[in-house]
Amino acid sequence: MPDSFLEIWHGDILSVNIERQDYYAFLSDEEKLKATTFLRPELQKKYIKTRGALRKVLASYLNINPQSICIKTGKYGKPFIENEIFFNLTHAGNKFAIAVSNCSEVGIDLECHKNRINLQGLVGKCFSKQEKAYWQALAKEQQEIMFYRFWVRKEALVKAVGRGIALGLNQCVVDPLNQLCFIDIPSDSGEAGEWKIVEVTLNKDYVCAVVINDVEFNYRLKELK
Ligand SMILES: CC(C)(COP(=O)(O)OP(=O)(O)OC[C@H]1O[C@@H](n2cnc3c(N)ncnc32)[C@H](O)[C@@H]1OP(=O)(O)O)[C@@H](O)C(=O)NCCC(=O)NCCS
């Protein structure tokens, strides 16, 4: 399928050279109203920037005005459009990333690996037996980065499926020996082998992964200024 694609758009949330109004203009009337409800200015700016960026990106595929795109929300909160375009959004720290594909449902997760404390506790709760064993055996200096690599893969899977963390992160098991595959996922979410993990490299402070159906596609990383 030569026309199949997976494109990742990324950018800074609070970039100084972008006027709030650029992205505000892309929002729907309902979103503009929601933007007035944020008490903290930085949260309002983050909402306007990420939602506006999502609309700007989607409009580039659909060839329509960003404001007029009808973004719906699934049962567990996953945004979608009724079109052959699949997408998912993530934000962490000062960055956001949007995955867009015409192949299959897609999930993306981004983490800034300076924020998290109590990795042991999260590993205990959210990693499977195999993942825990692999992680515990790593050298201490490897543990932090590997925690985030596994974490974003697992989160991207629950976002691709659309169920969110209620799916059970500890039941979405990354293969420690081939970290681009899952060896187990909850049975009502299909076969583990149907999903492919794509590692996305943004910069040294962030870890990011996409999960998508295991098909052939052209991959591109694009920066949104
Ligand atoms: C979806 C979820 C995994 C996001 O985790 P996160 O790492 O905190 O946030 P991210 O920045 O990566 O992603 C947030 C974006 O994911 C998207 N999203 C929301 N729900 C989603 C879902 N069920 N599936 C896929 N994507 C979802 C939204 O676009 C959201 O951004 P927005 O709120 O600005 O529109 C998590 O919030 C979740 O599981 N939500 C579902 C609710 C739920 O099951 N709660 C159980 C509480 S125990």
Side-chain angles (χ1 to χ4, degrees), residues 5-9 90 97-101 103-110 148-157 160 174 178-182 194-202 206-221:
F5 65 81
L6 168 64
E7 297 188 335
I8 312 301
W9 298 78
T90 183
I98 299 165
V100 186
S101 178
C103 305
S104 84
E105 284 292 355
V106 63
I108 185 166
D109 192 54
L110 171 70
Y148 286 106
R149 286 215 186 123
F150 275 70
W151 182 266
V152 293
R153 285 157 163 73
K154 290 151 82 67
E155 284 245 346
L157 188 268
V174 177
N178 176 2
Q179 294 164 14
L180 297 179
C181 300
F182 291 95
E194 286 169 9
W195 297 101
K196 172 192 275 185
I197 298 167
V198 179
E199 184 156 23
V200 180
T201 307
L202 297 180
Y206 289 85
V207 178
C208 183
V210 173
V211 168
I212 185 168
N213 265 204
D214 190 5
V215 293
E216 291 295 313
F217 50 76
N218 294 311
Y219 172 78
R220 280 180 290 270
L221 186 61

Side-chain angles (χ1 to χ4, degrees), residues 13 46 50 89-97 108-111 159 206:
I13 292 173
K46 177 178 168 183
T50 55
L89 163 74
T90 183
H91 33 74
N94 188 35
K95 276 218 155 290
F96 69 88
I108 185 166
D109 192 54
L110 171 70
E111 294 287 339
K159 294 180 75 183
Y206 289 85

Side-chain angles (χ1 to χ4, degrees), residues 3-206:
D3 295 336
S4 300
F5 65 81
L6 168 64
E7 297 188 335
I8 312 301
W9 298 78
H10 68 99
D12 292 343
I13 292 173
L14 306 177
S15 52
V16 285
N17 57 347
I18 289 174
E19 285 300 312
R20 185 196 119 143
Q21 292 302 328
D22 286 352
Y23 284 82
Y24 184 76
F26 297 146
L27 302 186
S28 67
D29 291 344
E30 199 182 320
E31 289 164 346
K32 283 178 179 159
L33 197 63
K34 182 171 173 184
T36 63
T37 64
F38 290 89
L39 295 178
R40 285 170 50 194
E42 69 275 17
L43 293 182
Q44 183 192 54
K45 200 168 175 186
K46 177 178 168 183
Y47 176 75
I48 293 169
K49 181 71 186 276
T50 55
R51 200 69 184 186
L54 176 63
R55 285 185 172 276
K56 183 178 179 178
V57 164
L58 292 177
S60 70
Y61 296 91
L62 303 172
N63 250 332
I64 55 174
N65 177 340
Q67 214 192 358
S68 65
I69 300 169
C70 179
I71 303 177
K72 298 186 172 178
T73 304
K75 188 171 169 194
Y76 301 97
K78 183 172 183 171
F80 69 97
I81 49 175
E82 282 176 347
N83 196 287
E84 294 297 298
I85 293 289
F86 302 92
F87 68 92
N88 196 227
L89 163 74
T90 183
H91 33 74
N94 188 35
K95 276 218 155 290
F96 69 88
I98 299 165
V100 186
S101 178
N102 60 353
C103 305
S104 84
E105 284 292 355
V106 63
I108 185 166
D109 192 54
L110 171 70
E111 294 287 339
C112 173
H113 61 82
K114 281 184 180 153
N115 293 338
R116 193 90 66 168
I117 46 163
N118 191 13
L119 295 186
Q120 289 281 357
L122 284 168
V123 167
K125 220 166 91 183
C126 302
F127 279 30
S128 69
K129 217 169 88 186
Q130 300 95 315
E131 291 166 332
K132 264 180 224 166
Y134 175 82
W135 190 82
Q136 304 285 9
L138 291 170
K140 280 272 169 277
E141 58 276 15
Q142 279 292 303
Q143 284 187 331
E144 188 189 72
I145 185 71
M146 290 310 289
F147 168 83
Y148 286 106
R149 286 215 186 123
F150 275 70
W151 182 266
V152 293
R153 285 157 163 73
K154 290 151 82 67
E155 284 245 346
L157 188 268
V158 303
K159 294 180 75 183
V161 171
R163 291 269 299 276
I165 49 174
L167 188 62
L169 287 179
N170 59 353
Q171 294 183 61
C172 306
V173 186
V174 177
D175 184 350
L177 303 177
N178 176 2
Q179 294 164 14
L180 297 179
C181 300
F182 291 95
I183 44 176
D184 205 5
I185 64 172
S187 56
D188 59 357
S189 302
E191 296 286 326
E194 286 169 9
W195 297 101
K196 172 192 275 185
I197 298 167
V198 179
E199 184 156 23
V200 180
T201 307
L202 297 180
N203 71 36
K204 65 178 178 46
D205 295 328
Y206 289 85

